[in-house]
Amino acid sequence: MAIETGLSEVIVHRIMQTAPHRYKQYTISKRSGGKRLISQPATEVKLLQRAFVDLYLSKLPVHPAAMAYRTSLSISDNAKAHAGSGSILKMDFRDFFPSIRKASWMTYCAEFSILDNSFERELSASLLFQRPTGSHGMQLAIGAPSSPALSNLLLFQFDEIISAEAAKDKVKYTRYADDLTFSADRSWNLVDIERTVKRVLREIAYPRLRLNPDKTIHVTKKFCRNVTGLILANDGRVTIGKKRKRTIHAATHAASQGRLDDRQLQKLGGMLAFVKSVEPAFLDVLRRRYGFETIMKLQTIGAKDRRNLRPQIDAVEISGG
């Protein structure tokens, strides 16, 4: 860790020991209403968390059903896994990151002989888990760069069991952070899935997670099937949806007339990058209507600020709650 970060071993050790208390908390508005608590690690803690991900966590196995937080996958890949299916069942974990505790990591390390001894495991847990004010336990923080990777690792057993159980009923399963999606050709294939998930959550040793019953949704082809913000069309395509297309059409028209400021142009460029990755045929429609040069210029502007992409597509909230 010292070599990776350029810090001395003494400083690395001191930061790791004190890391659980070095978080700044603030809230953001949820898309569905209410507030979400974000815990932002101090800069030096964040530096070591990223180093730990690179040196250790990135080398450990993630189940193929886990689609989030992986450089080669996106929300589009998650939706495409269910394209062509008839019915879908969506489920959601309650308080996802905060429900994953230090004990889960310690058990995982002991089970698979991760790190050399109990001292190193304790020190790593100190770096990876937050101890909120007034709490006696340590939990994953929404805002720590190591939390996404660690959550995928600790849910490997869950993903493995659920994938196998779902396959018995000819059901496809993917998990995007705390969003579970199941799909099958017929609705009756999905009837036992919720019961199975609840049973597995009771039986596995870690992590101790609970479902949010308010977000359990079963949808057939008769209705709009939304998977991580994308629409599953009845012809097997994955699309951004009519509402987004109207929004992008209107914004592109305004841009072609010079009525958007720099920030709006960046947002539109980000949306076009998203369109290119999910539904490139719609990008061709825009090129024919507004001109190849106009769309190319907007894409170039969007490429300068990819950070605008996720907020603009409004597909998935910050995970963990």
Side-chain angles (χ1 to χ4, degrees):
M1 293 284 285
I3 294 172
E4 182 76 6
T5 61
L7 301 174
S8 72
E9 290 185 27
V10 172
I11 291 177
V12 168
H13 188 268
R14 184 183 306 156
I15 294 172
M16 293 180 76
Q17 282 190 314
T18 60
H21 306 283
R22 302 173 73 170
Y23 287 78
K24 178 182 179 181
Q25 295 187 326
Y26 59 95
T27 59
I28 62 171
S29 297
K30 291 185 180 181
R31 192 160 49 94
S32 56
K35 298 290 184 179
R36 186 188 304 283
L37 180 65
I38 305 296
S39 296
Q40 187 76 23
T43 301
E44 58 273 19
V45 174
K46 196 180 299 184
L47 173 68
L48 291 188
Q49 287 174 339
R50 290 197 176 106
F52 196 87
V53 170
D54 291 340
L55 291 170
Y56 298 100
L57 302 187
S58 64
K59 309 297 192 298
L60 299 173
V62 174
H63 196 274
M67 309 293 280
Y69 316 130
R70 300 174 65 182
T71 55
S72 59
L73 299 176
S74 68
I75 59 171
S76 178
D77 295 295
N78 186 54
K80 287 176 181 177
H82 302 280
S85 297
S87 298
I88 64 168
L89 173 65
K90 299 196 295 182
M91 307 170 78
D92 187 273
F93 289 128
R94 186 192 298 274
D95 300 325
F96 182 47
F97 280 175
S99 295
I100 300 177
R101 304 301 180 101
K102 169 189 171 182
S104 296
W105 170 243
M106 299 300 286
T107 303
Y108 176 89
C109 287
E111 183 177 357
F112 297 104
S113 301
I114 308 299
L115 302 176
D116 291 335
N117 52 57
S118 59
F119 172 76
E120 287 191 350
R121 293 168 188 169
E122 286 285 349
L123 198 59
S124 68
S126 182
L127 174 65
L128 299 172
F129 291 84
Q130 174 200 16
R131 188 187 298 278
T133 304
S135 173
H136 298 293
M138 293 171 64
Q139 62 192 42
L140 283 191
I142 306 174
S146 51
S147 292
L150 190 54
S151 69
N152 272 348
L153 301 179
L154 296 180
L155 264 78
F156 185 96
Q157 183 186 32
F158 172 83
D159 290 333
E160 186 173 46
I161 296 173
I162 293 298
S163 293
E165 292 293 318
K168 292 178 183 177
D169 290 324
K170 300 180 180 180
V171 173
K172 298 176 184 177
Y173 161 68
T174 62
R175 179 179 59 82
Y176 198 93
D178 55 351
D179 292 329
L180 316 180
T181 304
F182 302 86
S183 64
D185 291 335
R186 298 288 183 268
S187 294
W188 65 264
N189 293 91
L190 300 169
V191 294
D192 292 328
I193 292 296
E194 185 175 357
R195 188 182 306 113
T196 298
V197 171
K198 290 179 178 178
R199 173 178 58 80
V200 173
L201 288 175
R202 289 193 303 268
E203 293 176 352
I204 59 176
Y206 61 89
R208 307 307 296 175
L209 299 172
R210 296 175 300 153
L211 293 174
N212 184 346
D214 295 335
K215 293 189 177 181
T216 297
I217 302 172
H218 187 185
V219 186
T220 67
K221 274 189 173 183
K222 294 180 180 179
F223 303 94
C224 179
R225 295 170 300 153
N226 184 313
V227 175
T228 45
L230 299 176
I231 307 301
L232 303 185
N234 289 342
D235 60 5
R237 293 179 301 114
V238 173
T239 173
I240 63 173
K242 294 179 181 179
K243 183 177 179 180
R244 280 209 193 100
K245 288 180 180 179
R246 286 194 295 268
T247 300
I248 293 172
H249 261 303
T252 306
H253 178 69
S256 68
Q257 296 184 333
R259 293 191 283 111
L260 298 186
D261 59 28
D262 289 344
R263 184 62 179 173
Q264 291 170 322
L265 288 171
Q266 287 179 340
K267 290 179 179 180
L268 176 55
M271 287 192 285
L272 292 178
F274 175 64
V275 169
K276 182 180 179 180
S277 67
V278 176
E279 195 174 355
F282 179 59
L283 201 62
D284 292 333
V285 172
L286 295 174
R287 289 183 181 122
R288 288 194 296 270
R289 177 166 296 187
Y290 301 105
F292 184 89
E293 290 186 3
T294 297
I295 301 303
M296 179 63 72
K297 183 182 296 185
L298 291 170
Q299 287 179 292
T300 302
I301 293 172
K304 295 177 182 178
D305 191 3
R306 289 298 189 221
R307 290 171 298 177
N308 294 316
L309 176 57
R310 186 174 181 123
Q312 279 307 300
I313 63 176
D314 197 28
V316 183
E317 291 185 88
I318 296 176
S319 298

